[in-house]
Amino acid sequence: MTTPSQTVGPFFGFALPYAADWELVPEGHPGAVTITGRVFDGAGEPVPDALLELWTGEAGDRGALGRGGSGASGFGRCGTAPDGSYRFRLAPPARPYAALLVFARGLLKPVWTRVYLADTPDPLLDSLDPVRRATLLAQAEGHNVYRFDVRLQGEQETVFLEF
């Protein structure tokens, strides 16, 4: 039997999107951070049907209560809008980055990257030349608001990780 990553869709997506899937913390959560951005293909066109998953580490890192409680969750999911945009609201990550998975047409498996909210010493960042390093750094757009665009191909392609 083949698995979804070995075949070409469409696939039944019942319950894949869920209410407030982009909110890792509730509105008004102290210190909440918002990450917004857009997903672009190799031609620089927005990807209107990508799905992003954001992981900030173990939910227990911040005493999280999970989805049903009033605390933080370490996981969120957001589909892109027609203009390729997405957003997440989260507690500041316990690590210097959040992990981001991108599922999109043309990809048989998701691609992994990191979203760094600050340019800090880090083994991965330190191993990259400045141009590639910049693709992992979110840009501050206001108080606790950051922009992180994902470029799936091209000269400014986001750095993706192998596991």
Side-chain angles (χ1 to χ4, degrees), residues 39-47 105 150-154:
V39 179
F40 297 98
D41 66 16
E45 296 296 319
V47 179
R105 58 185 142 98
V150 177
R151 299 184 187 281
L152 297 174
Q153 292 179 319

Side-chain angles (χ1 to χ4, degrees), residues 33-143:
V33 171
T34 300
I35 298 174
T36 65
R38 294 174 70 194
V39 179
F40 297 98
D41 66 16
E45 296 296 319
V47 179
D49 54 358
L51 179 72
L52 288 80
E53 292 183 350
L54 188 81
W55 298 79
T56 61
E58 296 296 322
D61 286 350
R62 292 171 304 284
L65 300 176
R67 288 255 158 239
S70 60
S73 170
F75 169 78
R77 176 182 290 146
C78 184
T80 55
D83 67 351
S85 64
Y86 72 90
R87 67 180 172 168
F88 290 102
R89 183 173 56 234
L90 57 143
R95 299 180 189 129
Y97 62 86
L100 185 71
L101 281 81
V102 181
F103 299 81
R105 58 185 142 98
L107 299 176
L108 295 179
K109 296 188 182 229
V111 290
W112 292 72
T113 191
R114 290 181 176 177
V115 180
Y116 287 84
L117 301 182
D119 191 352
T120 60
D122 176 87
L124 174 61
L125 287 179
D126 295 344
S127 71
L128 300 171
D129 68 71
V131 172
R132 301 297 294 140
R133 180 185 185 109
T135 70
L136 296 178
L137 300 172
Q139 302 301 310
E141 289 198 327
H143 180 67

